[in-house]
Amino acid sequence: MTNTENCIKAYRKHKHLKNAADELGIKWQALYRVLVAANEPVMGDKERYGSESDKFARLGEAHFAELVPYAEDQNKTKFQSKCDFLVRGFKVDVKCARPAIKQATCKNKSWAFSVKKQRLVADFIVCIGYDEAGKPCFYLLIPGEIARNHGTISLSISRKGKWWDYEVSKEDIEPFFASLIEKETLSA
């Protein structure tokens, strides 16, 4: 097996530059150069090595992949992809949040979804609200054009406010994406 093949094998095993490099007895920088030259995607593994928020985000992304099984997970081929999924040519970003108390002086709980980075590139943003027990309790399906002027989408637990207009049932998500005409067809 060539050195390049060993590097690829070790990286695929660990999905972590430093751990794979340690196994090979080389610096992570050298491993990175070999992987890039071999066109091996360097993306990491948020489930194993990410922060708590990375792991929670991955949970929401995995849930979306179950709901829309033909969605192409962009994080499998690129680290921190601009959008999480490609569905029928449309860029879809998935956000998830647990309820949090807005301020120390306020007892109202709310969900907050940060869309600062994805709002300019996503065709759709799917927000999944989780309850305190960690179960999905609502879904929002927001066209990218609607989210463009917002950095955060906040929802009150009272269920009042404009964002609740975009609530959909879990069962509506897959049929919606299945009904879309391929994006490339639209532009032709």
Side-chain angles (χ1 to χ4, degrees), residues 73-91:
D73 188 343
Q74 300 301 290
N75 291 310
K76 286 188 176 181
T77 57
K78 184 176 181 188
F79 180 70
Q80 298 292 12
S81 177
K82 297 270 187 217
C83 280
D84 296 319
F85 293 92
L86 198 58
V87 182
R88 301 181 64 80
F90 291 89
K91 295 175 184 168

Side-chain angles (χ1 to χ4, degrees), residues 119-177:
R119 66 187 172 150
L120 299 177
V121 295
D123 295 303
F124 297 99
I125 296 175
V126 174
C127 299
I128 305 172
Y130 286 82
D131 62 17
E132 284 93 352
K135 294 183 180 176
C137 57
F138 70 85
Y139 301 83
L140 303 180
L141 176 58
I142 305 171
E145 297 86 349
I146 304 297
R148 299 259 190 272
N149 296 322
H150 302 277
T152 303
I153 294 171
S154 296
L155 295 106
S156 168
I157 205 161
S158 69
R159 298 182 83 74
K160 294 180 182 174
K162 66 181 176 186
W163 294 114
W164 288 108
D165 293 346
Y166 298 96
E167 184 176 18
V168 296
S169 74
K170 170 179 146 178
E171 294 75 23
D172 289 337
I173 294 173
E174 189 282 329
F176 170 79
F177 286 107

Side-chain angles (χ1 to χ4, degrees), residues 16-55:
H16 189 277
L17 281 171
K18 180 146 179 14
N19 292 350
D22 287 349
E23 178 182 308
L24 296 166
I26 61 175
K27 293 186 177 198
W28 73 260
Q29 299 92 327
L31 173 60
Y32 179 78
R33 284 193 303 272
V34 171
L35 295 172
V36 169
N39 286 328
E40 178 69 18
V42 178
M43 65 256 173
D45 186 340
K46 291 194 284 188
E47 286 181 273
R48 284 195 277 178
Y49 306 112
S51 66
E52 285 305 311
S53 63
D54 284 339
K55 291 175 184 176

Side-chain angles (χ1 to χ4, degrees), residues 96-117:
C96 56
R98 295 180 183 105
I101 295 176
K102 284 185 178 181
Q103 299 172 355
T105 58
C106 180
K107 293 182 181 176
N108 291 335
K109 290 185 178 179
S110 65
W111 290 269
F113 303 91
S114 176
V115 296
K116 285 183 266 188
K117 295 177 184 173

